[in-house]
Amino acid sequence: MTSDYIDANRANWDERATLHAARDGSGYGVQRYVADADALSDVVRFDLPLLGDIAGRRTVHLQCHIGTDTLSLARLGARVTGLDFSENAVVEARRLADEAGADIDYVQADVRDAAKVLPRGTFDIVYTGIGALCWLPSITEWAGIVADLLAPGGTLHLREGHPILWSMNETLPGLSLAFPYFEQSTPLEWDDESTYVEVSAPLTSTRTYEWNRGLGEIVTALLDQDLRLDALIEHDSVPWEALPGRMTQRPDGEYALAAQPSVMPLSYTIRASKPA
């Protein structure tokens, strides 16, 4: 049954990738990365203080989508490989890299197969960005893949939407917890023709499936792989309007609660390392 969920999600992301990569100013506005050789995504720019100097570092970006963050990592000097399960996403990521003159390797594969299709134990950095973990059925399986890919002394850099945020129902009044915080075997099912950025057409593969898990479950899964937790930082912002009508956009592109921004975490960053 899990394969059915993943297949439905893949069909949805194949559509999203094409729409997100539009050259008409909609979607991710990818033309700016071609027009400006120094352009970085807002997500990677936010990550800079914790990423540090990544020049020359062998980096794999898991669930890379159309490659805007991947390209940004390459522009910081990393030697980057991007991986995504969507064929269209990989096509668009390669197209963007070519247009931007960037040397990036892309691999199409389910992240659960990453350690089978990529060289194990060779990456200095495993990078995972916003909105990735919710598409995976098992956080324990994911943590094992991260550990398998990292070279001794290598580092995981993860920034994600906070499990509290994923538990919120944005359609209810106030800040209302309505969905599971802890990982469940059965995913939440959604049916939505829209996506999280403005696009030129509605989706037709509208059904998707997501899994949440608590912050403790994520940290414990990494510790169980003998990774060392180096940093866990909770943030009061996210890079999209996660709760429409209740957020304000900051100058750095991040969205925060318009009222009482300190009342709940909206995202978090984890840095974890593999012993040398």
Side-chain angles (χ1 to χ4, degrees):
M1 190 65 181
T2 298
S3 62
D4 294 337
Y5 300 144
I6 302 299
D7 288 345
N9 288 345
R10 184 183 292 108
N12 177 270
W13 280 99
D14 276 343
E15 285 194 37
R16 291 199 206 199
T18 302
L19 292 168
H20 289 174
R23 268 39 178 194
D24 61 1
S26 65
Y28 277 36
V30 295
Q31 281 299 105
R32 71 185 180 98
Y33 298 99
V34 179
D36 180 359
D38 296 320
L40 300 177
S41 68
D42 290 341
V43 172
V44 169
R45 185 176 291 104
F46 183 94
D47 287 335
L48 283 176
L50 281 173
L51 270 175
D53 183 3
I54 62 173
R57 305 271 281 170
R58 297 162 299 176
T59 301
V60 59
H61 180 190
L62 299 180
Q63 297 166 272
C64 66
H65 192 37
I66 62 171
T68 52
D69 295 341
T70 324
L71 174 61
S72 300
L73 296 171
R75 286 180 167 174
L76 294 173
R79 296 155 49 196
V80 191
T81 298
L83 179 142
D84 200 273
F85 75 157
S86 162
E87 179 180 3
N88 289 359
V90 171
V91 167
E92 295 294 350
R94 287 174 176 154
R95 177 187 173 198
L96 177 59
D98 287 344
E99 292 178 356
D103 183 13
I104 302 172
D105 292 324
Y106 283 104
V107 177
Q108 182 193 347
D110 191 310
V111 68
R112 297 174 300 165
D113 295 324
K116 299 175 184 176
V117 300
L118 297 173
R120 298 160 65 105
T122 63
F123 292 99
D124 301 312
I125 299 171
V126 172
Y127 180 90
T128 298
I130 289 280
L133 296 189
C134 60
W135 304 102
L136 304 178
S138 168
I139 197 64
T140 298
E141 183 180 25
W142 171 83
I145 291 159
V146 169
D148 284 343
L149 293 174
L150 282 173
T155 299
L156 165 71
H157 183 100
L158 165 69
R159 186 180 178 220
E160 253 295 6
H162 202 284
I164 287 288
L165 176 61
W166 299 134
S167 300
M168 304 293 294
N169 186 335
E170 65 188 55
T171 67
L172 298 178
L175 298 175
S176 302
L177 293 171
F179 305 119
Y181 176 86
F182 299 106
E183 187 173 277
Q184 309 291 310
S185 58
T186 302
L188 291 172
E189 179 178 324
W190 306 101
D191 194 347
D192 190 352
E193 66 179 14
S194 66
T195 178
Y196 49 87
V197 292
E198 182 182 348
V199 292
S200 60
L203 300 170
T204 59
S205 297
T206 57
R207 199 172 300 276
T208 57
Y209 300 88
E210 297 180 30
W211 294 263
N212 196 17
R213 62 268 312 175
L215 202 54
E217 291 176 306
I218 297 165
V219 170
T220 299
L222 295 170
L223 295 177
D224 284 347
Q225 293 296 324
D226 296 324
L227 299 181
R228 183 185 68 200
L229 183 66
D230 298 316
L232 169 57
I233 303 170
E234 295 174 296
H235 310 289
D236 66 355
S237 65
V238 287
W240 84 102
E241 192 176 7
L243 300 170
R246 303 173 196 177
M247 309 190 84
T248 184
Q249 189 173 21
R250 293 174 171 171
D252 62 359
E254 292 277 306
Y255 287 84
L257 291 173
Q260 294 183 292
S262 63
V263 77
M264 64 177 283
L266 297 176
S267 63
Y268 66 93
T269 298
I270 284 177
R271 294 271 295 182
S273 56
K274 187 173 185 176

